[in-house]
Amino acid sequence: FYDYADSGSWTETTYRANESDFQAIKLRQRVAVNMENRSTAVQMIGIPAAMPVAIAPVGLTGMQHADG
């Protein structure tokens, strides 16, 4: 099952391209940054949202977790 979940379709060319592209991205931890005036508020599809959380399509959740 792991091979199914951690793979791409058919020749996996897009999967390999994405994997190599993400290797170039380095996440940098930032500490001691002034957070005083930060906000999570945004507009999602033209509607104000105080905290932008949305649910993506979850149709295959049951395949990834037994209680999905």
Side-chain angles (χ1 to χ4, degrees):
F1 176 77
Y2 177 82
D3 288 336
Y4 174 79
D6 185 46
S7 65
S9 63
W10 200 31
T11 61
E12 297 186 352
T13 53
T14 303
Y15 174 82
R16 284 193 298 276
N18 287 339
E19 193 173 42
S20 72
D21 287 345
F22 279 116
Q23 289 297 321
I25 297 173
K26 302 295 180 209
L27 300 178
R28 184 178 57 144
Q29 182 180 7
R30 296 179 63 179
V31 295
V33 176
N34 183 2
M35 301 294 286
E36 188 174 338
N37 294 316
R38 300 286 173 111
S39 172
T40 59
V42 296
Q43 280 199 2
M44 294 176 68
I45 58 171
I47 300 169
M51 184 174 173
V53 177
I55 297 177
V58 292
L60 296 176
T61 304
M63 292 180 69
Q64 305 298 325
H65 191 277
D67 293 332

